[in-house]
Amino acid sequence: MSTAANNILWESIINGDQEAYRELYELFAEMLYRYGLRYIQDTATIKDCIQDLFTDLYHYRRNLSPKVNIRYYLLRSFRRKIHTAVKKTVTLNRAMEVEDFFSITYEPDKETQIIAAEQQQQMLRILAEELNALPARQKELLFLKFNCSLSYEEVAGIMKISVPTCRTLAYRAFRQLRTNMEKIPVLPLLVLLMHWLSQKNN
């Protein structure tokens, strides 16, 4: 979505335009649903969180900032709701935080494996194994950065960490991937794998 389209849609949201709310839902509900699945497998709870988010948007529309990045705003607000839902359903021990529940399994689907060259298939399988071995917060950072196309500043805002910390986590993730995969070009494969994953419902 271009900046101009983003601003026009958001202005319509603030003005209570019902058609704008339908468009907003159609544009972002699936993305929010995929993100929710990374924290909790209860689909009813995820859908309730999405519904609550859009209900809040309507009720408090007059208090909304006039210009925001919609994708960033929705993900940040939705993450708070998902975290609240997780806290209600599980008991956290002292060594755990809600962020530790973020889970994603990287695995190219069968169609991807058929299309990809044999050598590329092998590299993608290795990359998937290494990604799955990363800490939960690093995986969430990569998910937001590549699946949701956010800047480091936006990812930091959503995860409630500083931008330097965000970049450090990313650096550590890439360093680990490069170290374990030696001379394989990690970043192009990572972008490719994230793109394919973003097309899947879960």
Side-chain angles (χ1 to χ4, degrees):
M1 179 181 290
S2 68
T3 300
N6 178 97
N7 293 341
I8 291 172
L9 179 58
W10 194 245
E11 182 178 354
S12 299
I13 292 296
I14 292 175
N15 291 331
D17 186 333
Q18 295 296 320
E19 184 60 34
Y21 276 89
R22 282 193 289 272
E23 181 179 352
L24 188 72
Y25 185 88
E26 291 174 359
L27 284 171
F28 295 106
E30 183 177 347
M31 177 192 70
L32 296 174
Y33 181 79
R34 290 199 308 268
Y35 187 36
L37 283 173
R38 307 308 177 190
Y39 273 107
I40 189 171
Q41 293 298 306
D42 185 345
T43 58
T45 296
I46 297 172
K47 292 176 181 177
D48 286 344
C49 288
I50 294 174
Q51 184 63 43
D52 288 346
L53 174 58
F54 280 85
T55 299
D56 287 348
L57 274 179
Y58 183 79
H59 285 316
Y60 303 109
R61 62 189 183 278
R62 295 299 180 185
N63 298 325
L64 296 173
S65 299
K67 290 185 178 181
V68 301
N69 179 319
I70 294 177
R71 183 186 300 266
Y72 166 75
Y73 179 88
L74 292 179
L75 282 167
R76 185 176 184 180
S77 301
F78 182 69
R79 188 176 189 262
R80 287 197 296 266
K81 291 187 178 295
I82 281 293
H83 280 206
T84 299
V86 171
K87 289 177 181 177
K88 290 180 179 179
T89 57
V90 300
T91 301
L92 301 178
N93 61 47
R94 293 183 179 180
M96 293 189 69
E97 296 184 23
V98 178
E99 288 87 346
D100 297 323
F101 280 84
F102 187 88
S103 176
I104 182 169
T105 300
Y106 295 104
E107 181 180 1
D109 56 30
K110 292 182 179 179
E111 181 180 356
T112 298
Q113 294 182 39
I114 293 174
I115 295 174
E118 182 176 351
Q119 183 180 11
Q120 190 179 51
Q121 288 182 33
Q122 178 62 19
M123 289 189 295
L124 284 171
R125 283 194 291 269
I126 296 172
L127 175 60
E129 291 175 1
E130 296 300 332
L131 283 168
N132 291 329
L134 292 175
R137 294 191 187 190
Q138 290 182 16
K139 287 198 283 188
E140 181 174 13
L141 185 156
L142 294 178
F143 180 88
L144 291 170
K145 174 67 178 171
F146 292 99
N147 283 76
C148 301
S149 303
L150 298 178
S151 67
Y152 282 114
E153 290 74 15
E154 290 167 338
V155 173
I158 290 173
M159 296 183 67
K160 297 181 180 180
I161 57 179
S162 68
V163 175
T165 298
C166 184
R167 291 185 180 277
T168 297
L169 288 174
Y171 170 76
R172 289 174 179 171
F174 285 123
R175 183 180 60 185
Q176 180 172 329
L177 292 174
R178 283 197 301 267
T179 299
N180 293 345
M181 298 183 69
E182 297 181 345
K183 296 182 180 181
I184 296 175
V186 171
L187 186 56
L189 281 175
L190 179 60
V191 173
L192 187 61
L193 182 57
M194 291 288 191
H195 173 72
W196 278 326
L197 287 168
S198 71
Q199 308 306 311
K200 301 172 69 176
N201 291 330
N202 54 23

